[in-house]
Amino acid sequence: MRILGIETSCDETGVSVVELSENGLALLEDIVSSQISLHEPYGGVVPEIAVREHLRNLPRLVPKVLEQSGTRVSDLDVIAVTEGPGLASSLLIGNAYARSLAVAADVPAYGINHLEGHLYSPFLSDGSSLRFPFVGLIVSGGHTLLVHAVDFDRYIRVGATIDDAAGEAFDKVARLFGFPYPGGPYLEEFAKQGNPEAYDFPRSLPGKDNYDFSFSGLKTAVRYFYEKHPHSHEDQQWIADLCASFQKAVIDVLVRKSVGAVELVRADTLVAAGGVVCNSLLREELARACEEKGIQLHVAHAGVCTDNAAMIASTAAFKVHYGCTPEIGGDINPNLSLFTREPAGDFQKGLDLAAKLRNRNAG
Ligand code: KG4
Ligand code: ZN
C-alpha cells in the first residue's frame, strides 16, 4: 500500500511517499521545502508568505516525490494531509491540493492531526515497535505536551505548557541575542561553548505533582539579566554561558517532568518528538534519565523531528493498520486537539479512581 503525505501546517512544505507492507513501513521519498530564509527577516512566520510558497511548492514537489519514489498517481492507495493544528491559511492550501488529488485519483484521503504525526515520528523507521501504552513528549515551536498514549487514537493529557512552548522560548531568547530565526539550533551551538552552571535560572512549576510547563518566566528572567548587563553584550563567552544556563533550565524541566509522567501512569516507555528534540543535550539527558530509571526511550530521528510529511503519511499508515475510517471531504481545524475523549485536568481523578478499583479488587 502506497501513501502520499502532505504537510503544510506552518512554514514547511512537506511531501512524502511511504509504503506499508507485511515487512512494515518503508519511507520511499521525503522532501521538505523550508521557507526559513524568506521568514527570517521578519523574525517569525508571515502567514501570507507561507501561503504563497505552499501554493508554489506543492505542484512542483508532489510530481517530484512521486517520480523519485517510482510511484504513479494510479499506484496511490491513500492520500494523507495535515488537517490541524496550524495556520489556517497554510492548512487550507495543503488540504485543497490533497483532497482534489484524492478525488481525481479516486483514492481515500485521511486528515491527520499534526501532533499525532509528531507523536509517531520516532516509529517511522520501525512500525513494528509501536506498542502501547507510552508517554509522549512533544516539544516544538508551537507545542509542549506530555501525552499518555493509552492506545492508538486514545490519548490523555498529562501536562502542557501554560504559556510559551519550549521551542518558542528558545526562539525568543535567541532573538534577544541577535541570532537568526528560528534560533533554537543557533542557541544550542553557542551553548556548547558555555557553562550550564554559570547562572541559576528558575525551573518552572517545580511541584512534584505538576506536569504542566511554563517557560515565559524563564524567558523574562534571561531578558532582565541580559538587559542589566549591557557592557557584557559583546562578550561571546558571557553569551555562551547565558545560552548554556538557559538551555539547561529548559532541559532539566522537560526531562524531570517526562520521567515523572512515565512513573505517574506506570508506563515503561517514553517517546520524544518535535523540533526541540533536535537538541543533542536534550537527547543525551533523556537517554541518561531513562537508563537510570529503566525506561525504554524512543526518540525521533533528527531528520524527522522538525515538520515533515513522512510523519503524516506514516500516521495514515497506522490509521489503516488500526482500521480507522478515512474522512473524505473533512475540513481543516487550526485548533485541532489530540484529546477527544478525556477533558483536560481530569487526569488525576482518573488515576485516583484506577487506584481505588485496584485496591478494591486486591481486597
Ligand atoms: O516541530 P517544528 O519544526 O515546528 C513546530 O511544529 O512548531 O519545531 C520547530 C522548533 C523551533 O522553535 C526551533 O527553534 C526548535 O524547534 N529547534 C530547536 C533545535 N532545533 C530546532 N530547539 C532547540 N535546540 C535545537 N537544536
Ligand atoms: Zn510541528
Side-chain angles (χ1 to χ4, degrees):
M1 168 173 281
R2 288 210 175 182
I3 303 173
L4 172 73
I6 292 180
E7 152 67 35
T8 63
S9 67
C10 193
D11 60 335
E12 321 276 12
T13 318
V15 182
S16 181
V17 171
V18 302
E19 187 166 60
L20 181 65
S21 68
E22 60 272 18
N23 300 325
L25 195 62
L27 176 57
L28 300 188
E29 191 56 70
D30 181 40
I31 297 184
V32 176
S33 170
S34 171
Q35 307 173 8
I36 284 175
S37 59
L38 298 171
H39 298 281
E40 195 193 305
Y42 304 95
V45 176
V46 181
E48 288 81 359
I49 295 180
V51 165
R52 195 185 61 202
E53 290 306 302
H54 289 316
L55 264 175
R56 233 204 314 247
N57 285 336
L58 283 176
R60 185 171 62 82
L61 292 186
V62 171
K64 189 169 169 186
V65 165
L66 289 176
E67 190 193 327
Q68 290 182 0
S69 62
T71 311
R72 289 163 303 182
V73 171
S74 57
D75 296 333
L76 289 174
D77 299 288
V78 169
I79 294 178
V81 62
T82 307
E83 65 176 0
L87 289 173
S89 46
S90 288
L91 289 166
L92 273 173
I93 304 298
N95 273 256
Y97 190 97
R99 292 181 190 283
S100 312
L101 188 58
V103 170
D106 195 23
V107 292
Y110 279 96
I112 303 294
N113 186 317
H114 180 83
L115 296 171
E116 209 175 11
H118 276 305
L119 188 66
Y120 292 121
S121 58
F123 300 100
L124 235 171
S125 52
D126 184 11
S128 60
S129 68
L130 185 57
R131 278 201 188 82
F132 298 92
F134 63 80
V135 167
L137 169 72
I138 303 174
V139 261
S140 68
H143 300 273
T144 304
L145 267 183
L146 272 172
V147 181
H148 181 198
V150 181
D151 202 343
F152 193 76
D153 202 21
R154 279 192 64 82
Y155 313 115
I156 303 175
R157 174 197 188 279
V158 184
T161 182
I162 58 169
D163 42 55
D164 290 351
E168 189 181 357
F170 265 96
D171 294 343
K172 286 177 176 170
V173 169
R175 193 173 178 187
L176 181 71
F177 301 152
F179 300 154
Y181 174 84
Y186 295 94
L187 198 149
E188 183 188 1
E189 273 317 297
F190 254 76
K192 283 180 184 159
Q193 316 303 324
N195 173 10
E197 312 296 337
Y199 305 106
D200 189 17
F201 289 122
R203 272 51 172 173
S204 58
L205 306 178
K208 189 175 146 299
D209 298 323
N210 193 328
Y211 297 91
D212 284 333
F213 301 92
S214 165
F215 296 110
S216 169
L218 168 63
K219 173 198 70 188
T220 308
V222 175
R223 182 159 58 83
Y224 282 166
F225 189 83
Y226 179 80
E227 286 170 355
K228 237 170 121 180
H229 298 86
H231 302 301
S232 304
H233 290 187
E234 299 307 315
D235 180 346
Q236 300 291 293
Q237 188 56 50
W238 186 78
I239 297 282
D241 287 346
L242 267 186
C243 288
S245 302
F246 161 79
Q247 178 178 262
K248 185 77 176 29
V250 175
I251 290 175
D252 275 358
V253 175
L254 290 175
V255 173
R256 186 170 51 75
K257 297 206 178 205
S258 301
V259 168
V262 176
E263 291 175 337
L264 175 77
V265 307
R266 298 194 188 94
D268 59 5
T269 305
L270 176 68
V271 165
V276 180
V277 173
C278 289
N279 187 289
S280 40
L281 185 68
L282 174 60
R283 299 170 83 89
E284 281 164 25
E285 295 284 304
L286 282 173
R288 198 183 46 73
C290 285
E291 196 181 339
E292 224 173 83
K293 300 275 184 183
I295 297 170
Q296 210 187 338
L297 176 68
H298 290 276
V299 183
H301 183 270
V304 291
C305 280
T306 49
D307 292 348
N308 64 85
M311 68 184 194
I312 301 305
S314 53
T315 301
F318 294 136
K319 282 193 181 245
V320 171
H321 179 77
Y322 282 90
C324 303
T325 323
E327 295 149 32
I328 303 172
D331 202 356
I332 63 153
N333 182 351
N335 301 312
L336 187 62
S337 164
L338 205 53
F339 313 110
T340 46
R341 293 161 207 263
E342 274 79 3
D346 276 6
F347 189 72
Q348 193 58 47
K349 254 193 232 162
L351 274 181
D352 293 345
L353 183 65
K356 240 186 238 168
L357 289 173
R358 254 197 314 274
N359 289 341
R360 205 176 60 188
N361 290 343

